[in-house]
Amino acid sequence: MKVLILGIDGYLGWPLALRLARRGHEVIGIDNLSTRKFSQEVGADSAFPLPEPEERVKEAKKHLGVDITFYKGDVTDYPFLKEIVSKHKPDAIVHFAEQRSAPYSMIDMDHSVFTVINNEVGTLRVIQAILEVDPTIHLLKMGTMGEYGTPSFNIPESIYVDAIVNGMKDRIIVPRKGSSIYHITKIHDTDFILYFNEISKELTVTDIMQGPVYGTRTEEIIEETLRTRFDFDEVWGTVVNRFCVEAIIGQPLTVYGKGGQTRGFLSLEDSMQALTLLLEHPPKQGEYRVANQFAEIYSVRQIAQIVKKAGEELGLDVQIGNYPNPRVEAEEHYYNPEIKILPSLGFYPKKRLPEEVKIMIKDLLPYKERLERYRHVIPPKTKWRKK
Ligand SMILES: NC(=O)c1ccc[n+]([C@@H]2O[C@H](COP(=O)([O-])OP(=O)(O)OC[C@H]3O[C@@H](n4cnc5c(N)ncnc54)[C@H](O)[C@@H]3O)[C@@H](O)[C@H]2O)c1
C-alpha cells in the first residue's frame, strides 16, 4: 500500500512512518515543521533533541533499511498538496497535520483564529485533493475523543444515534461538546468530512476519535536518532508525558483542580498498532467509519498516583501538586465510551500505563539536565478565562 502521511514530523507521524515502512508499505510524508516552531514560541522544546527531517529519513534507512520520502510544505497550500497527491497517487492519506494543542488554541484570540484556519482549511483541502485527484483514496483522519466532551450518556462509536427530541423521533449526529477552540476545530472537521462523504457518495473515511497518547517508544524506535518528539511543557505536553518529566526534575505533578478529569488513554505503541490495523482494513468505498481509539480509562488523579509510584520505585522523590484549574472543564464526571471497531480488527493493548511510565522515566532520565532548563514552562499559565 502507498500511504501519504500529513504531519509526518510529529509525535505520531514519525513512528507511524517507521511502522508502515517496516511493514513494507511505501511511505511519503508532508510537514511544515510548525510544531517545532510553536514549541519554541512558548519557550519549550522536545525532550529528545530532534534531527532535521532529512537526517531522520537517512537514519531510518541506516537502521531499519526503509525508504521514506519527505516533503516540506503546508497542507493548506492547495497547489502544493494537489501536486503531491497527484504525483504519488496514494492508496491512503493519514491526516495528522493540525495544530494539536488545546492550550495553544486558547493563548489569545490570534492563536484561536490561527488554529481554526490551519485545522479547518487543511481538512477541507485534503477532502478537495482526494475528490479531485482520486476519490478511492482512503482518508484516515485523526480526531479526538475530546470531540465528545464528557457527557452523562454512554459515548457510542458511531456518527448517528436515534434520539427523541421534543417528543419527536429522529436520527441525529452524536452530540459533541468541545472544551477548547482546538477541540471545536476537530468537531468541525468531522462535520466537513461527513458532509462531503454524504454529498459525494465517494469519500471513504475512517474518523478516529483518539484519547491522549503517552510513551517514548515503539518497536521501531531502537536508536536515539529514531526517536519521536516528546513534549512536556504546559502548552504542548499531554498529561502522562508531562508528569513523567515532572517526576524527574522534582516538579510537583501538575494536577489541575480536583483531578477527576477522566479520559481513555493509550500508549504510542498501541496507537501505532491501531492505526496500522485501520489502514490495512479500510472501510468499503464511500463508507464513513468512526473508530474510538483508547486502551485504558484513568482519571488525572489516578495517573498522578501511578507516576508517583513508578518514580519512587526508581529512587525519585515525587510529590503530587494541586493547581487551580486553568481550563474550563468538568473536574468530576461520568465517562463511559464504547470501543468495538478496533477489537473487531484484532486490536489488543500490548502496554499498560503502570509498566510503561517506568520505561518512559528510564528513557528520559539521561536527559535530566536538558529537561531542567525548561522547568519554568511546565506550571500552568494558559488560562481559558482571561479575567
Ligand atoms: N498526541 C496525542 O495524544 C493525540 C491525541 C488525540 C489526537 N491527536 C491528534 O493526532 C494528530 C497528531 O498529533 P501529534 O501528537 O503527532 O501532534 P504533533 O504536533 O506532534 O504533529 C502534528 C504535525 O503536523 C504538522 N502540521 C501542523 N499543521 C500543518 C500544516 N498546516 N501543514 C503541514 N504540516 C502541519 C506539525 O508540524 C507536526 O509535525 C493531531 O491531529 C492531533 O490533534 C493527538
Side-chain angles (χ1 to χ4, degrees), residues 78-260:
Y78 189 62
F80 163 76
L81 179 66
K82 187 172 178 183
E83 190 194 317
I84 304 296
V85 176
S86 309
K87 182 171 169 194
H88 291 280
K89 296 221 163 39
D91 301 295
I93 296 182
V94 178
H95 183 20
F96 287 156
E98 299 206 324
Q99 189 298 91
R100 68 111 175 105
S101 158
Y104 192 83
S105 76
M106 300 301 291
I107 290 176
D108 57 21
M109 194 53 98
D110 286 346
H111 287 80
S112 299
V113 169
F114 169 78
T115 304
V116 169
I117 292 173
N118 188 64
N119 294 4
E120 301 194 7
V121 173
T123 295
L124 284 170
R125 292 308 195 186
V126 174
I127 295 168
Q128 184 183 5
I130 292 175
L131 292 178
E132 287 182 7
V133 176
D134 178 3
T136 68
I137 296 171
H138 173 204
L139 170 60
L140 195 87
K141 166 66 178 49
M142 186 53 91
T144 161
M145 284 298 294
E147 289 187 33
Y148 299 116
T150 50
S152 305
F153 56 82
N154 297 337
I155 297 171
E157 194 179 28
S158 61
I159 193 68
Y160 291 114
V161 277
D162 293 329
I164 295 174
V165 183
N166 286 340
M168 310 277 272
K169 264 174 123 180
D170 206 346
R171 185 170 163 254
I172 59 168
I173 293 180
V174 176
R176 279 149 210 258
K177 189 165 191 278
S179 61
S180 73
I181 294 297
Y182 156 75
H183 289 101
I184 292 170
T185 67
K186 292 287 191 186
I187 296 172
H188 292 170
D189 286 345
T190 290
D191 288 342
F192 291 144
I193 295 169
L194 182 64
Y195 182 68
F196 282 100
N197 162 269
E198 289 191 348
I199 63 170
S200 72
K201 295 195 188 309
E202 286 186 305
L203 199 61
T204 306
V205 184
T206 303
D207 196 353
I208 306 166
M209 305 301 158
Q210 183 179 243
V213 181
Y214 60 87
T216 45
R217 288 190 193 186
T218 63
E219 283 169 15
E220 289 75 23
I221 301 181
I222 51 173
E223 285 289 330
E224 289 297 291
T225 51
L226 292 177
R227 283 205 186 282
T228 190
R229 65 171 306 111
F230 186 98
D231 296 290
F232 56 91
D233 60 283
E234 61 111 15
V235 174
W236 292 94
T238 47
V239 62
V240 182
N241 292 0
R242 196 175 71 232
F243 282 1
C244 287
V245 168
E246 291 170 344
I248 289 173
I249 64 168
Q251 152 81 43
L253 307 186
T254 45
V255 172
Y256 299 165
K258 294 184 189 148

Side-chain angles (χ1 to χ4, degrees), residues 11-12 31-32 34-35 74-75 100 118 142 182 186 213:
Y11 179 55
L12 303 180
D31 206 293
N32 65 359
S34 55
T35 299
D74 201 300
V75 165
R100 68 111 175 105
N118 188 64
M142 186 53 91
Y182 156 75
K186 292 287 191 186
V213 181

